[in-house]
Amino acid sequence: MSDTAAKSLPKLLIVEDDAGLQAQLKWAYEDFEVIVAGDRPSALALLRSEAPDVVTLDLGLPPDPDGTSEGFAVLDEIMALKPDTKVIVASGHGARESALTAIARGAYDFYQKPVDIDALGLIVRRALQLHRLEEENRRLSSKVEKEEKVLGRMITAAPEMLKVARTIERVANTNVSVMLLGASGTGKELLARGLHDASDRARGEFVAINCAAIPENLLESELFGHEKGAFTGAVKTTPGKIEQAGGGTLFLDEVGDIPLQLQVKLLRFLQERVIERVGSRESIPVDTRIVCATHQDLDAMIADGRFREDLYYRLAEIVVRIPSLAERPGDATLLAKTFLARYAAEMNPKVRGFASDALAAIDAWPWQGNVRELENRVKRAVIMADEKLVSASDLDLADPDEQVINALNLKTAREQADRKVIRHALARSEGNISSTAKMLGISRPTLYDLLKQYDLQP
Protein backbone atom coordinates (compact mmCIF):
# COMPACT_ATOMS: atom_id res chain seq x y z
CA MET A 1 0.00 0.00 0.00
CA SER A 2 1.33 3.45 -0.91
CA ASP A 3 2.01 6.15 1.70
CA THR A 4 -0.71 8.33 0.14
CA ALA A 5 -3.28 5.55 0.39
CA ALA A 6 -2.28 4.83 3.99
CA LYS A 7 -2.72 8.46 4.94
CA SER A 8 -6.28 8.41 3.61
CA LEU A 9 -7.24 5.44 5.82
CA PRO A 10 -8.65 5.85 9.34
CA LYS A 11 -6.11 5.24 12.10
CA LEU A 12 -6.37 2.37 14.57
CA LEU A 13 -4.03 2.23 17.57
CA ILE A 14 -3.52 -1.27 19.02
CA VAL A 15 -2.16 -1.20 22.59
CA GLU A 16 -1.04 -4.77 23.28
CA ASP A 17 2.13 -6.18 24.90
CA ASP A 18 1.92 -9.65 23.30
CA ALA A 19 4.06 -9.49 20.12
CA GLY A 20 2.25 -12.44 18.49
CA LEU A 21 -1.17 -10.92 19.10
CA GLN A 22 0.15 -7.55 17.91
CA ALA A 23 1.01 -9.05 14.52
CA GLN A 24 -2.25 -11.01 14.32
CA LEU A 25 -4.33 -7.89 15.01
CA LYS A 26 -2.26 -5.67 12.74
CA TRP A 27 -2.91 -7.83 9.68
CA ALA A 28 -6.64 -8.18 10.45
CA TYR A 29 -7.42 -4.55 9.53
CA GLU A 30 -6.60 -3.88 5.89
CA ASP A 31 -9.08 -0.97 5.83
CA PHE A 32 -7.21 0.85 8.64
CA GLU A 33 -3.80 2.42 9.04
CA VAL A 34 -2.70 0.31 12.02
CA ILE A 35 -0.17 1.57 14.59
CA VAL A 36 0.99 -0.53 17.53
CA ALA A 37 2.17 0.23 21.08
CA GLY A 38 3.26 -2.19 23.80
CA ASP A 39 3.18 0.06 26.88
CA ARG A 40 1.78 3.29 28.29
CA PRO A 41 4.52 5.76 27.19
CA SER A 42 4.54 4.60 23.56
CA ALA A 43 0.71 4.47 23.45
CA LEU A 44 0.39 8.07 24.67
CA ALA A 45 3.15 9.25 22.33
CA LEU A 46 1.30 7.72 19.36
CA LEU A 47 -1.99 9.17 20.59
CA ARG A 48 -0.47 12.66 20.50
CA SER A 49 1.36 12.28 17.20
CA GLU A 50 -1.13 10.20 15.19
CA ALA A 51 -4.53 11.12 16.78
CA PRO A 52 -6.13 7.71 16.03
CA ASP A 53 -9.92 7.51 15.69
CA VAL A 54 -10.17 4.12 17.43
CA VAL A 55 -7.98 2.38 20.06
CA THR A 56 -8.03 -1.26 21.14
CA LEU A 57 -6.54 -1.43 24.63
CA ASP A 58 -5.40 -4.49 26.57
CA LEU A 59 -5.88 -3.66 30.26
CA GLY A 60 -3.09 -6.07 31.25
CA LEU A 61 -0.05 -3.98 30.35
CA PRO A 62 3.41 -3.93 31.93
CA PRO A 63 4.33 -3.28 34.69
CA ASP A 64 1.00 -4.87 35.74
CA PRO A 65 0.42 -7.55 33.06
CA ASP A 66 -1.65 -9.71 35.40
CA GLY A 67 -3.89 -6.87 36.56
CA THR A 68 -5.73 -3.89 35.12
CA SER A 69 -4.21 -0.85 36.86
CA GLU A 70 -1.85 0.11 34.02
CA GLY A 71 -4.54 -0.38 31.37
CA PHE A 72 -6.99 1.83 33.26
CA ALA A 73 -4.26 4.46 33.66
CA VAL A 74 -3.83 4.48 29.86
CA LEU A 75 -7.62 4.72 29.40
CA ASP A 76 -7.84 7.68 31.80
CA GLU A 77 -5.05 9.53 30.00
CA ILE A 78 -6.59 8.88 26.57
CA MET A 79 -9.92 10.27 27.80
CA ALA A 80 -8.17 13.32 29.24
CA LEU A 81 -6.08 14.02 26.13
CA LYS A 82 -8.57 13.12 23.38
CA PRO A 83 -12.00 12.30 24.82
CA ASP A 84 -13.62 11.78 21.40
CA THR A 85 -11.41 8.69 20.80
CA LYS A 86 -13.34 5.42 20.74
CA VAL A 87 -11.49 3.05 23.09
CA ILE A 88 -12.32 -0.67 23.09
CA VAL A 89 -10.79 -2.41 26.10
CA ALA A 90 -9.90 -6.10 26.59
CA SER A 91 -9.17 -8.11 29.68
CA GLY A 92 -9.32 -11.63 30.97
CA HIS A 93 -9.28 -10.43 34.59
CA GLY A 94 -12.67 -10.01 36.30
CA ALA A 95 -14.31 -9.40 32.94
CA ARG A 96 -17.73 -8.12 34.09
CA GLU A 97 -16.36 -5.80 36.76
CA SER A 98 -13.66 -4.53 34.40
CA ALA A 99 -16.22 -3.94 31.65
CA LEU A 100 -18.48 -1.84 33.89
CA THR A 101 -15.53 0.16 35.22
CA ALA A 102 -14.16 0.76 31.71
CA ILE A 103 -17.51 1.97 30.34
CA ALA A 104 -17.96 4.27 33.36
CA ARG A 105 -14.49 5.73 32.74
CA GLY A 106 -15.22 6.55 29.12
CA ALA A 107 -14.52 3.40 27.07
CA TYR A 108 -16.71 2.81 24.03
CA ASP A 109 -16.97 -0.99 24.35
CA PHE A 110 -15.40 -4.09 25.89
CA TYR A 111 -14.34 -7.54 24.73
CA GLN A 112 -13.06 -10.52 26.69
CA LYS A 113 -9.94 -12.52 25.93
CA PRO A 114 -9.20 -14.81 24.17
CA VAL A 115 -9.73 -12.49 21.21
CA ASP A 116 -12.26 -13.36 18.49
CA ILE A 117 -10.75 -11.40 15.56
CA ASP A 118 -14.00 -11.25 13.55
CA ALA A 119 -16.13 -10.14 16.50
CA LEU A 120 -13.57 -7.53 17.49
CA GLY A 121 -13.44 -6.31 13.88
CA LEU A 122 -17.19 -5.62 13.96
CA ILE A 123 -16.82 -3.61 17.17
CA VAL A 124 -13.88 -1.62 15.77
CA ARG A 125 -15.69 -0.75 12.54
CA ARG A 126 -18.86 0.23 14.41
CA ALA A 127 -16.75 2.44 16.68
CA LEU A 128 -15.23 4.12 13.63
CA GLN A 129 -18.68 4.73 12.15
CA LEU A 130 -19.86 6.36 15.40
CA HIS A 131 -16.67 8.47 15.58
CA ARG A 132 -17.32 9.73 12.04
CA LEU A 133 -20.97 10.50 12.82
CA GLU A 134 -19.98 12.45 15.94
CA GLU A 135 -17.29 14.31 14.01
CA GLU A 136 -19.84 15.27 11.34
CA ASN A 137 -22.31 16.29 14.07
CA ARG A 138 -19.67 18.54 15.66
CA ARG A 139 -18.93 20.06 12.25
CA LEU A 140 -22.60 20.74 11.61
CA SER A 141 -23.09 22.07 15.15
CA SER A 142 -20.18 24.45 14.62
CA LYS A 143 -21.75 25.62 11.35
CA VAL A 144 -25.11 26.10 13.06
CA GLU A 145 -23.53 28.14 15.86
CA LYS A 146 -21.88 30.43 13.33
CA GLU A 147 -25.26 30.97 11.68
CA GLU A 148 -26.83 31.54 15.13
CA LYS A 149 -29.73 29.19 14.49
CA VAL A 150 -30.62 28.63 18.13
CA LEU A 151 -33.46 26.21 17.45
CA GLY A 152 -31.04 24.00 15.52
CA ARG A 153 -28.74 23.86 18.58
CA MET A 154 -31.45 22.53 20.90
CA ILE A 155 -30.12 19.36 22.52
CA THR A 156 -32.72 16.61 22.67
CA ALA A 157 -33.37 13.03 21.68
CA ALA A 158 -36.95 13.04 22.99
CA PRO A 159 -39.77 12.74 20.43
CA GLU A 160 -41.84 15.03 22.68
CA MET A 161 -39.34 17.88 22.29
CA LEU A 162 -38.63 17.22 18.62
CA LYS A 163 -42.37 17.64 17.99
CA VAL A 164 -42.21 21.06 19.71
CA ALA A 165 -39.24 22.09 17.55
CA ARG A 166 -40.97 21.00 14.34
CA THR A 167 -44.10 22.95 15.30
CA ILE A 168 -42.07 26.10 15.93
CA GLU A 169 -40.20 25.73 12.65
CA ARG A 170 -43.51 25.30 10.82
CA VAL A 171 -45.04 28.53 12.17
CA ALA A 172 -41.81 30.59 12.15
CA ASN A 173 -42.38 32.26 8.79
CA THR A 174 -45.97 33.21 9.50
CA ASN A 175 -46.91 36.31 11.49
CA VAL A 176 -49.18 34.52 13.96
CA SER A 177 -48.75 35.19 17.66
CA VAL A 178 -47.32 32.18 19.50
CA MET A 179 -47.84 31.29 23.16
CA LEU A 180 -45.38 28.92 24.84
CA LEU A 181 -46.78 27.11 27.85
CA GLY A 182 -44.44 25.27 30.19
CA ALA A 183 -42.99 25.09 33.67
CA SER A 184 -40.16 27.34 34.78
CA GLY A 185 -36.79 26.25 33.42
CA THR A 186 -38.04 24.31 30.39
CA GLY A 187 -36.38 26.64 27.88
CA LYS A 188 -39.20 28.94 26.77
CA GLU A 189 -36.89 31.85 25.91
CA LEU A 190 -34.51 29.53 24.02
CA LEU A 191 -37.44 28.34 21.89
CA ALA A 192 -38.67 31.91 21.37
CA ARG A 193 -35.21 32.88 20.12
CA GLY A 194 -35.22 29.81 17.89
CA LEU A 195 -38.56 30.86 16.41
CA HIS A 196 -37.20 34.35 15.72
CA ASP A 197 -34.00 33.00 14.11
CA ALA A 198 -35.96 30.60 11.90
CA SER A 199 -38.32 33.34 10.69
CA ASP A 200 -38.00 35.97 7.98
CA ARG A 201 -37.63 38.50 10.84
CA ALA A 202 -34.24 37.08 11.81
CA ARG A 203 -32.43 40.24 10.66
CA GLY A 204 -34.59 42.32 13.00
CA GLU A 205 -34.04 42.54 16.74
CA PHE A 206 -35.14 39.92 19.27
CA VAL A 207 -36.20 41.69 22.46
CA ALA A 208 -37.14 39.81 25.63
CA ILE A 209 -38.90 41.20 28.68
CA ASN A 210 -39.96 39.41 31.87
CA CYS A 211 -43.29 40.93 32.82
CA ALA A 212 -43.09 39.49 36.35
CA ALA A 213 -39.75 41.17 37.08
CA ILE A 214 -40.90 44.77 36.45
CA PRO A 215 -43.11 46.72 38.90
CA GLU A 216 -46.63 47.42 37.61
CA ASN A 217 -46.12 51.19 37.59
CA LEU A 218 -43.05 50.84 35.32
CA LEU A 219 -44.24 48.05 33.01
CA GLU A 220 -46.33 50.32 30.77
CA SER A 221 -43.38 52.65 30.16
CA GLU A 222 -41.10 49.65 29.59
CA LEU A 223 -43.41 48.21 26.92
CA PHE A 224 -44.75 51.32 25.22
CA GLY A 225 -42.07 53.93 25.96
CA HIS A 226 -42.60 57.45 27.31
CA GLU A 227 -42.30 61.08 26.31
CA LYS A 228 -39.99 63.53 28.04
CA GLY A 229 -41.67 64.90 31.16
CA ALA A 230 -44.39 62.20 31.21
CA PHE A 231 -43.55 61.47 34.86
CA THR A 232 -40.94 62.34 37.44
CA GLY A 233 -37.58 61.14 36.18
CA ALA A 234 -38.60 61.06 32.50
CA VAL A 235 -35.77 63.34 31.37
CA LYS A 236 -35.91 62.28 27.72
CA THR A 237 -38.21 60.59 25.23
CA THR A 238 -37.59 56.84 25.34
CA PRO A 239 -38.99 54.21 22.94
CA GLY A 240 -40.44 51.08 24.57
CA LYS A 241 -39.65 47.44 23.96
CA ILE A 242 -42.43 47.10 21.36
CA GLU A 243 -40.84 49.84 19.25
CA GLN A 244 -37.35 48.49 19.88
CA ALA A 245 -38.44 45.14 18.41
CA GLY A 246 -39.90 46.79 15.27
CA GLY A 247 -39.27 44.52 12.28
CA GLY A 248 -38.32 41.75 14.71
CA THR A 249 -39.79 39.80 17.61
CA LEU A 250 -40.86 40.77 21.14
CA PHE A 251 -40.84 37.95 23.68
CA LEU A 252 -43.15 38.58 26.64
CA ASP A 253 -42.18 36.13 29.38
CA GLU A 254 -44.69 35.56 32.21
CA VAL A 255 -47.41 37.35 30.28
CA GLY A 256 -49.90 36.33 32.96
CA ASP A 257 -48.41 38.98 35.26
CA ILE A 258 -49.47 41.91 33.06
CA PRO A 259 -52.07 43.96 35.03
CA LEU A 260 -55.61 44.20 33.62
CA GLN A 261 -55.37 47.92 32.78
CA LEU A 262 -52.26 47.31 30.70
CA GLN A 263 -53.84 44.26 29.06
CA VAL A 264 -56.31 46.63 27.36
CA LYS A 265 -53.49 48.69 25.84
CA LEU A 266 -51.65 45.57 24.67
CA LEU A 267 -54.86 44.27 23.07
CA ARG A 268 -55.21 47.54 21.12
CA PHE A 269 -51.67 47.14 19.78
CA LEU A 270 -52.38 43.57 18.66
CA GLN A 271 -55.61 44.63 16.92
CA GLU A 272 -54.43 47.87 15.28
CA ARG A 273 -50.62 47.54 15.29
CA VAL A 274 -50.19 51.06 16.69
CA ILE A 275 -48.94 52.24 20.08
CA GLU A 276 -49.04 55.40 22.16
CA ARG A 277 -46.10 56.26 24.41
CA VAL A 278 -46.84 57.24 28.00
CA GLY A 279 -47.50 61.01 28.02
CA SER A 280 -48.41 61.19 24.32
CA ARG A 281 -51.54 60.80 22.20
CA GLU A 282 -49.67 60.26 18.98
CA SER A 283 -50.32 56.86 17.39
CA ILE A 284 -47.13 55.21 16.17
CA PRO A 285 -47.41 52.24 13.76
CA VAL A 286 -45.12 49.37 14.73
CA ASP A 287 -44.48 46.05 12.94
CA THR A 288 -43.53 43.73 15.80
CA ARG A 289 -44.31 40.04 16.17
CA ILE A 290 -45.35 38.93 19.66
CA VAL A 291 -44.25 35.63 21.19
CA CYS A 292 -45.26 35.11 24.79
CA ALA A 293 -44.83 32.52 27.53
CA THR A 294 -46.16 31.67 30.95
CA HIS A 295 -46.15 28.86 33.48
CA GLN A 296 -49.50 30.00 34.91
CA ASP A 297 -52.94 28.49 34.23
CA LEU A 298 -54.42 31.21 32.01
CA ASP A 299 -57.77 29.40 31.71
CA ALA A 300 -58.19 29.67 35.48
CA MET A 301 -57.10 33.32 35.41
CA ILE A 302 -59.67 34.07 32.68
CA ALA A 303 -62.39 32.37 34.76
CA ASP A 304 -61.35 34.49 37.77
CA GLY A 305 -61.40 37.69 35.71
CA ARG A 306 -57.62 38.25 36.10
CA PHE A 307 -56.81 37.83 32.42
CA ARG A 308 -58.79 39.08 29.43
CA GLU A 309 -60.20 36.33 27.25
CA ASP A 310 -60.04 38.50 24.10
CA LEU A 311 -56.34 39.20 24.76
CA TYR A 312 -55.67 35.49 25.28
CA TYR A 313 -57.06 34.63 21.84
CA ARG A 314 -54.95 37.37 20.24
CA LEU A 315 -51.79 36.12 21.96
CA ALA A 316 -52.51 32.42 21.56
CA GLU A 317 -53.16 32.00 17.84
CA ILE A 318 -50.73 29.08 18.12
CA VAL A 319 -50.23 27.39 21.50
CA VAL A 320 -47.12 25.24 22.03
CA ARG A 321 -46.93 23.18 25.21
CA ILE A 322 -43.36 22.45 26.32
CA PRO A 323 -42.82 19.15 28.18
CA SER A 324 -40.97 19.16 31.47
CA LEU A 325 -37.52 17.55 31.64
CA ALA A 326 -39.03 14.60 33.52
CA GLU A 327 -41.30 13.99 30.50
CA ARG A 328 -38.27 13.74 28.18
CA PRO A 329 -36.53 10.45 29.17
CA GLY A 330 -32.84 10.45 28.31
CA ASP A 331 -32.56 14.21 27.75
CA ALA A 332 -31.27 14.90 31.27
CA THR A 333 -28.18 12.78 30.56
CA LEU A 334 -27.55 14.41 27.16
CA LEU A 335 -27.91 17.92 28.59
CA ALA A 336 -25.80 17.12 31.66
CA LYS A 337 -22.90 15.95 29.47
CA THR A 338 -23.15 19.15 27.42
CA PHE A 339 -23.16 21.38 30.51
CA LEU A 340 -20.25 19.45 32.03
CA ALA A 341 -18.13 19.87 28.90
CA ARG A 342 -18.86 23.60 28.80
CA TYR A 343 -18.21 24.37 32.47
CA ALA A 344 -15.24 22.01 32.83
CA ALA A 345 -13.48 23.85 29.99
CA GLU A 346 -14.19 27.18 31.68
CA MET A 347 -13.75 26.39 35.37
CA ASN A 348 -12.17 22.99 36.13
CA PRO A 349 -10.37 21.33 33.18
CA LYS A 350 -9.43 18.20 35.15
CA VAL A 351 -13.11 17.15 35.24
CA ARG A 352 -13.82 14.95 32.22
CA GLY A 353 -17.07 13.10 32.86
CA PHE A 354 -19.64 11.60 35.22
CA ALA A 355 -19.19 8.59 37.47
CA SER A 356 -21.75 5.80 37.04
CA ASP A 357 -23.59 6.74 40.26
CA ALA A 358 -23.97 10.31 38.98
CA LEU A 359 -25.48 9.14 35.69
CA ALA A 360 -27.90 6.87 37.56
CA ALA A 361 -28.90 9.75 39.85
CA ILE A 362 -29.40 12.13 36.91
CA ASP A 363 -31.66 9.56 35.22
CA ALA A 364 -33.73 9.02 38.36
CA TRP A 365 -34.07 12.61 39.61
CA PRO A 366 -37.49 14.28 38.98
CA TRP A 367 -35.95 17.66 37.95
CA GLN A 368 -38.74 19.86 39.22
CA GLY A 369 -36.63 22.89 38.26
CA ASN A 370 -36.18 21.39 34.78
CA VAL A 371 -33.19 22.32 32.60
CA ARG A 372 -32.31 25.33 34.75
CA GLU A 373 -31.99 23.14 37.86
CA LEU A 374 -29.90 20.58 35.94
CA GLU A 375 -27.54 23.24 34.58
CA ASN A 376 -27.07 24.83 38.01
CA ARG A 377 -26.33 21.48 39.68
CA VAL A 378 -23.82 20.46 37.00
CA LYS A 379 -22.11 23.86 37.12
CA ARG A 380 -21.77 23.71 40.91
CA ALA A 381 -20.58 20.08 40.79
CA VAL A 382 -17.87 20.89 38.22
CA ILE A 383 -16.57 23.74 40.39
CA MET A 384 -16.56 21.66 43.58
CA ALA A 385 -15.42 18.27 42.18
CA ASP A 386 -12.12 16.95 43.53
CA GLU A 387 -11.90 13.98 41.15
CA LYS A 388 -11.89 13.58 37.37
CA LEU A 389 -15.39 12.12 37.43
CA VAL A 390 -18.32 14.02 38.95
CA SER A 391 -20.15 11.86 41.49
CA ALA A 392 -23.77 11.83 42.69
CA SER A 393 -22.63 13.47 45.94
CA ASP A 394 -20.98 16.28 43.94
CA LEU A 395 -24.37 16.86 42.32
CA ASP A 396 -26.05 16.68 45.74
CA LEU A 397 -28.60 14.20 44.42
CA ALA A 398 -30.06 11.88 47.01
CA ASP A 399 -32.07 8.83 45.99
CA PRO A 400 -35.50 10.10 44.92
CA ASP A 401 -38.66 8.45 46.17
CA GLU A 402 -39.99 5.57 44.13
CA GLN A 403 -42.17 6.93 41.34
CA VAL A 404 -45.71 5.55 41.28
CA ILE A 405 -46.82 4.31 37.87
CA ASN A 406 -50.27 5.73 37.20
CA ALA A 407 -51.31 3.04 34.74
CA LEU A 408 -53.32 0.34 36.52
CA ASN A 409 -53.13 -2.07 33.58
CA LEU A 410 -50.06 -4.26 34.11
CA LYS A 411 -49.25 -4.62 30.40
CA THR A 412 -49.37 -0.83 29.93
CA ALA A 413 -47.30 -0.26 33.06
CA ARG A 414 -44.61 -2.69 31.87
CA GLU A 415 -44.50 -1.06 28.45
CA GLN A 416 -44.15 2.41 30.02
CA ALA A 417 -41.33 1.18 32.25
CA ASP A 418 -39.58 -0.59 29.34
CA ARG A 419 -39.71 2.51 27.12
CA LYS A 420 -38.39 4.79 29.86
CA VAL A 421 -35.50 2.52 30.88
CA ILE A 422 -34.46 1.81 27.26
CA ARG A 423 -34.44 5.53 26.42
CA HIS A 424 -32.35 6.30 29.52
CA ALA A 425 -29.86 3.57 28.60
CA LEU A 426 -29.63 4.72 24.97
CA ALA A 427 -28.94 8.28 26.10
CA ARG A 428 -26.30 7.21 28.62
CA SER A 429 -24.50 5.04 26.05
CA GLU A 430 -24.86 7.74 23.34
CA GLY A 431 -26.78 5.33 21.12
CA ASN A 432 -24.27 2.45 21.27
CA ILE A 433 -26.34 -0.72 20.96
CA SER A 434 -23.73 -3.03 22.52
CA SER A 435 -23.29 -0.82 25.60
CA THR A 436 -27.04 -0.29 25.92
CA ALA A 437 -27.70 -4.03 25.83
CA LYS A 438 -25.03 -4.61 28.50
CA MET A 439 -26.55 -1.93 30.75
CA LEU A 440 -30.00 -3.48 30.36
CA GLY A 441 -28.69 -7.03 30.87
CA ILE A 442 -30.13 -8.31 27.59
CA SER A 443 -28.73 -9.50 24.26
CA ARG A 444 -28.37 -7.20 21.26
CA PRO A 445 -31.04 -9.12 19.23
CA THR A 446 -33.46 -8.72 22.15
CA LEU A 447 -32.71 -5.00 22.30
CA TYR A 448 -33.26 -4.64 18.54
CA ASP A 449 -36.64 -6.41 18.94
CA LEU A 450 -37.63 -4.02 21.75
CA LEU A 451 -36.55 -0.97 19.74
CA LYS A 452 -38.71 -2.15 16.85
CA GLN A 453 -41.64 -3.04 19.13
CA TYR A 454 -41.66 0.37 20.84
CA ASP A 455 -40.68 2.34 17.71
CA LEU A 456 -37.55 3.75 19.40
CA GLN A 457 -34.47 5.00 17.56
CA PRO A 458 -30.87 4.59 18.81
Side-chain angles (χ1 to χ4, degrees):
M1 184 183 296
S2 69
D3 291 341
T4 304
K7 287 177 183 177
S8 66
L9 294 176
K11 293 181 181 179
L12 168 65
L13 170 60
I14 296 173
V15 186
E16 169 62 59
D17 64 327
D18 184 315
L21 190 52
Q22 278 183 1
Q24 188 181 4
L25 290 171
K26 185 169 183 176
W27 292 109
Y29 301 104
E30 294 182 354
D31 49 345
F32 283 83
E33 180 187 346
V34 179
I35 46 181
V36 178
D39 53 33
R40 189 196 328 188
S42 56
L44 297 176
L46 287 171
L47 183 79
R48 290 186 178 95
S49 63
E50 302 295 331
D53 304 319
V54 183
V55 176
T56 63
L57 170 64
D58 182 7
L59 292 178
L61 294 173
D64 184 23
D66 296 322
T68 59
S69 62
E70 187 69 6
F72 278 127
V74 173
L75 174 61
D76 289 344
E77 293 200 50
I78 292 174
M79 290 294 98
L81 290 168
K82 196 170 177 288
D84 59 320
T85 308
K86 299 303 172 194
V87 182
I88 304 159
V89 299
S91 174
H93 308 278
R96 178 174 173 76
E97 184 180 345
S98 296
L100 294 173
T101 303
I103 298 298
R105 288 163 84 156
Y108 164 75
D109 211 335
F110 180 91
Y111 67 97
Q112 188 173 358
K113 286 189 169 183
V115 176
D116 180 330
I117 298 293
D118 292 335
L120 179 57
L122 289 173
I123 298 173
V124 167
R125 289 173 177 88
R126 191 171 62 239
L128 174 65
Q129 183 182 21
L130 179 60
H131 184 276
R132 285 174 168 170
L133 286 171
E134 290 177 347
E135 196 171 57
E136 176 68 5
N137 187 51
R138 282 191 292 273
R139 186 187 68 78
L140 292 173
S141 295
S142 175
K143 181 180 177 183
V144 165
E145 286 174 9
K146 288 175 184 175
E147 295 173 353
E148 298 185 344
K149 294 181 180 176
V150 180
L151 195 63
R153 292 207 308 268
M154 185 175 65
I155 299 166
T156 183
E160 299 86 351
M161 206 63 183
L162 292 172
K163 183 180 178 181
V164 168
R166 297 295 83 79
T167 300
I168 288 175
E169 287 173 346
R170 196 169 294 124
V171 303
N173 276 325
T174 68
N175 271 320
V176 297
S177 298
V178 177
M179 179 172 286
L180 305 172
L181 299 180
S184 179
T186 49
K188 295 188 288 292
E189 183 169 346
L190 175 70
L191 290 168
R193 284 183 181 274
L195 187 152
H196 170 77
D197 290 340
S199 74
D200 53 13
R201 293 175 172 267
R203 292 185 179 181
E205 194 166 349
F206 176 85
V207 179
I209 180 171
N210 188 326
C211 302
I214 300 171
E216 285 187 21
N217 60 328
L218 297 179
L219 186 56
E220 182 179 7
S221 172
E222 192 73 15
L223 282 173
F224 293 91
H226 60 263
E227 294 291 330
K228 180 180 179 180
F231 50 82
T232 303
V235 296
K236 64 177 182 177
T237 297
T238 305
K241 299 296 187 186
I242 294 176
E243 278 185 85
Q244 188 181 334
T249 306
L250 175 65
F251 174 55
L252 299 175
D253 198 6
E254 298 305 341
V255 72
D257 284 86
I258 296 178
L260 276 170
Q261 184 179 356
L262 194 53
Q263 289 178 28
V264 176
K265 194 166 181 177
L266 181 59
L267 178 62
R268 184 193 173 213
F269 164 69
L270 290 168
Q271 289 172 331
E272 301 176 18
R273 295 295 163 176
V274 297
I275 63 161
E276 290 180 5
R277 294 176 184 153
V278 176
S280 171
R281 295 196 175 182
E282 179 189 357
S283 293
I284 303 172
V286 181
D287 173 28
T288 298
R289 182 186 193 169
I290 300 292
V291 178
C292 62
T294 184
H295 73 281
Q296 299 187 60
D297 184 346
L298 291 185
D299 289 333
M301 293 180 69
I302 290 169
D304 294 342
R306 291 179 291 132
F307 199 87
R308 293 183 62 98
E309 187 172 19
D310 49 3
L311 176 60
Y312 173 81
Y313 288 119
R314 284 285 182 179
L315 290 171
E317 292 176 304
I318 296 290
V319 175
V320 180
R321 300 185 184 276
I322 305 170
S324 67
L325 187 55
E327 295 171 312
R328 299 158 49 184
D331 272 10
T333 301
L334 295 177
L335 288 161
K337 289 178 178 179
T338 301
F339 294 143
L340 182 139
R342 179 195 305 169
Y343 292 120
E346 293 176 8
M347 302 171 180
N348 193 352
K350 75 175 181 182
V351 173
R352 60 174 184 77
F354 290 102
S356 55
D357 68 329
L359 291 172
I362 289 168
D363 275 345
W365 197 252
W367 299 115
Q368 293 178 351
N370 293 291
V371 179
R372 187 177 294 118
E373 178 191 356
L374 173 62
E375 182 174 7
N376 289 342
R377 283 186 183 271
V378 172
K379 183 177 182 180
R380 184 174 65 239
V382 167
I383 294 170
M384 302 303 295
D386 294 320
E387 305 296 333
K388 290 182 179 179
L389 298 181
V390 168
S391 66
S393 61
D394 291 326
L395 291 164
D396 194 23
L397 295 181
D399 291 334
D401 295 333
E402 289 287 333
Q403 300 296 310
V404 178
I405 297 177
N406 292 324
L408 296 178
N409 180 280
L410 280 176
K411 183 175 183 293
T412 303
R414 288 192 191 104
E415 288 180 357
Q416 287 179 353
D418 282 354
R419 283 177 178 273
K420 188 171 183 178
V421 171
I422 291 169
R423 283 169 62 178
H424 281 313
L426 282 168
R428 199 184 302 182
S429 69
E430 300 178 357
N432 178 262
I433 294 295
S434 179
S435 298
T436 302
K438 285 177 182 175
M439 285 183 199
L440 296 172
I442 58 178
S443 67
R444 279 181 292 182
T446 300
L447 177 56
Y448 278 118
D449 288 342
L450 289 170
L451 292 173
K452 184 177 180 181
Q453 178 183 342
Y454 296 133
D455 194 25
L456 298 173
Q457 295 295 322

